[in-house]
C-alpha cells in the first residue's frame, strides 16, 4: 500500500515532475527546497521514503543525508545528475546510508521524466519495504561537514588501467589443497578503517554468482563456505544453492538484521541455506566451520 514520500530538490520543476509521478501512483507526497528543509520535514512529517538531490543551496544533499540518518534513519534514494553507477558522489551517498540511487536523465533539470518514471516507482516501492536498523546515538556521530556545491559532472573521468605484479613463489604453482586443477591465482583484499565505503568501488563489479562458480571450479564444494548477506535482487542465490547441493556450507543473513532482505531470502527459498543467522553471529559460525576444515 503506497505511503508517504518526501521529495527534496532545489529545482521547482523537478519537485513538480517527481511529485506528479509519485502522486499518480498513489503515494502521498511532500516537497522540500533544500537539505535543511528536508531534514526538518523528515522529523515533522516522518515519510516512509525520501528522494534526495545533491547540489542544493543552504545545505547540500550529502550533508542532509548524514543528518537524516543520524536523526531518523529512513530509506533514502539519491536522485541527482551526480548519482550514476560508479560515480564518487554515489559511493559517498551509499556509504552515508542511502539505499539506492537514480541518475537524472539529461542533467540537473530534465523534462525527460518519462525516462526514469518506471525505475523511480520501482525503487520507491522497494525502499518502502526496507527496515533500517537504528543509527548510533547522536553523541557518537561525527559532526556533519557542510560541503561546498559540487561541479555538475555526471561521471568521473575513466581511470587508467593498472597492472600489478608480484614475485611468483615458484615457477610452477602447485594446485590448492584439495584442488580440482591448477589455480591461476588468488585475489586477497585487506581492508580496515573506511573499508565499507572503499569496497563499494570494488564489490559491485564482482557478481556473487560468478565468484562462487569460480571458486567451485578450483576447490571441492566441501572445502567452501558461502555467505549471502543483505542486498536487493537474487545475485549469488543460485550459485550458493548449488554450492550447498554439492556438499558445501552456506549462511544466509536473517531478515532481522538485513537492510534489504532480498538476496538472502532468495537463497533460503531455494533451499540453499545451511543456516540462517543475524549478521552479528556470522563471524562466530565462520570460525567454527573454518576450524573444522583445518
Amino acid at each position: 500500500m503506497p505511503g508517504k514520500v518526501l521529495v527534496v530538490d532545489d529545482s521547482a520543476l523537478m519537485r513538480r515532475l517527481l511529485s506528479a509521478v509519485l502522486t499518480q501512483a498513489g503515494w502521498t507526497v511532500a516537497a522540500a527546497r533544500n537539505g535543511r528543509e528536508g531534514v526538518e520535514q523528515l522529523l515533522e512529517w516522518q515519510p516512509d521514503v525520501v528522494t534526495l538531490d545533491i547540489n542544493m543551496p543552504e545545505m547540500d544533499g550529502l550533508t542532509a543525508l548524514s543528518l537524516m540518518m543520524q536523526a531518523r534513519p529512513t530509506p533514502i534514494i539519491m536522485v541527482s545528475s551526480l548519482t550514476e553507477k560508479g560515480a564518487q558522489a554515489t559511493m559517498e551517498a551509499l556509504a552515508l546510508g542511502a539505499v539506492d540511487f537514480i541518475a537524472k536523465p539529461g542533467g540537473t533539470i530534465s523534462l525527460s521524466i518519462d525516462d526514469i518514471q518506471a525505475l523511480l516507482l520501482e525503487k520507491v516501492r522497494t525502499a518502502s519495504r526496507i527496515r533500517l536498523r537504528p543509527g548510533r546515538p547522536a553523541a557518537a556521530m561525527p559532526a556533519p561537514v557542510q560541503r561546498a556545491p559540487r561541479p555538475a559532472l555526471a561521471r568521473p573521468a575513466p581511470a587508467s588501467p593498472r597492472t600489478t605484479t608480484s614475485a611468483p613463489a615458484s615457477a610452477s604453482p602447485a594446485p590448492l589443497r584439495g584442488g580440482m586443477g591448477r589455480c591461476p591465482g588468488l585475489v586477497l583484499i585487506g581492508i580496515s578503517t573506511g573499508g565499507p565505503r572503499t569496497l563499494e568501488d570494488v564489490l559491485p563489479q564482482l557478481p556473487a554468482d560468478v565468484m562462487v562458480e569460480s571458486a567451485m571450479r578450483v576447490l571441492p564444494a566441501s572445502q567452501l563456505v558461502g555467505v549471502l548477506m543483505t542486498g536487493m535482487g537474487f545475485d549469488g542465490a543460485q550459485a550458493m544453492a548449488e554450492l550447498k547441493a554439492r556438499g558445501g556450507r552456506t549462511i544466509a543473513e536473517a531478515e532481522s538484521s538485513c537492510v534489504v532482505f532480498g538476496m538472502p531470502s532468495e537463497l533460503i527459498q531455494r533451499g540453499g541455506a545451511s543456516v540462517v543467522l543475524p549478521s552479528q553471529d556470522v563471524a562466530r559460525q565462520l570460525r567454527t566451520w573454518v576450524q573444522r576444515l583445518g
Side-chain angles (χ1 to χ4, degrees):
M1 189 72 178
K4 301 192 296 185
V5 181
L6 175 62
V7 174
V8 185
D9 200 301
D10 66 325
S11 163
L13 174 60
M14 284 306 301
R15 290 198 303 272
R16 185 167 67 251
L17 292 172
L18 294 174
S19 297
V21 169
L22 292 164
T23 300
Q24 289 171 9
W27 296 90
T28 301
V29 181
R33 297 173 297 179
N34 56 57
R36 190 175 304 281
E37 286 187 8
V39 174
E40 292 172 355
Q41 290 208 43
L42 176 84
L43 297 176
E44 294 173 5
W45 196 53
Q46 299 191 353
D48 300 299
V49 181
V50 176
T51 70
L52 185 61
D53 191 13
I54 291 183
N55 273 339
M56 295 182 289
E58 293 194 44
M59 181 184 291
D60 70 87
L62 293 178
T63 300
L65 172 61
S66 66
L67 289 173
M68 288 175 174
M69 298 308 294
Q70 174 181 307
R72 183 181 179 271
T74 302
I76 296 175
I77 301 170
M78 308 306 294
V79 182
S80 170
S81 59
L82 298 181
T83 46
E84 291 194 347
K85 185 175 182 179
Q88 177 63 32
T90 303
M91 297 299 105
E92 188 169 354
L94 294 173
L96 287 171
V99 299
D100 213 330
F101 61 91
I102 299 174
K104 289 180 182 176
T108 302
I109 300 178
S110 173
L111 293 173
S112 305
I113 195 68
D114 290 345
D115 293 348
I116 64 167
Q117 179 173 336
L119 184 62
L120 172 67
L121 293 175
E122 176 189 352
K123 294 198 174 190
V124 168
R125 280 193 297 267
T126 300
S128 69
R129 296 192 292 265
I130 294 174
R131 297 197 305 270
L132 294 181
R133 282 177 275 180
R136 292 175 288 175
M141 296 289 291
V145 177
Q146 179 66 40
R147 297 170 175 82
R150 296 167 178 264
L153 297 177
R155 59 173 62 87
S160 301
R162 296 181 182 179
T163 302
T164 57
T165 59
S166 58
S170 63
S172 180
L176 292 176
R177 182 169 61 89
M180 301 171 69
R182 291 188 180 277
C183 175
L186 183 65
V187 176
L188 305 175
I189 300 176
I191 201 161
S192 181
T193 306
R197 174 180 167 185
T198 306
L199 284 174
E200 285 162 356
D201 292 334
V202 179
L203 296 184
Q205 302 178 57
L206 302 173
D209 277 322
V210 173
M211 290 191 288
V212 176
E213 291 166 359
S214 175
M216 287 192 291
R217 287 196 293 268
V218 176
L219 287 170
S222 59
Q223 289 185 238
L224 295 173
V225 175
V227 183
L228 201 57
M229 305 188 76
T230 181
M232 294 184 184
F234 52 84
D235 184 30
Q238 183 57 43
M240 287 201 186
E242 179 65 21
L243 171 62
K244 179 176 179 289
R246 295 187 190 181
R249 299 178 178 89
T250 60
I251 300 173
E253 183 179 359
E255 184 175 7
S256 60
S257 66
C258 278
V259 174
V260 182
F261 191 52
M263 291 155 52
S265 174
E266 286 288 335
L267 180 59
I268 295 168
Q269 291 176 30
R270 297 174 193 221
S274 302
V275 295
V276 179
L277 298 171
S279 58
Q280 63 269 22
D281 294 338
V282 170
R284 184 185 304 112
Q285 184 64 57
L286 287 174
R287 286 196 298 269
T288 299
W289 281 347
V290 169
Q291 287 170 359
R292 292 175 184 172
L293 289 174

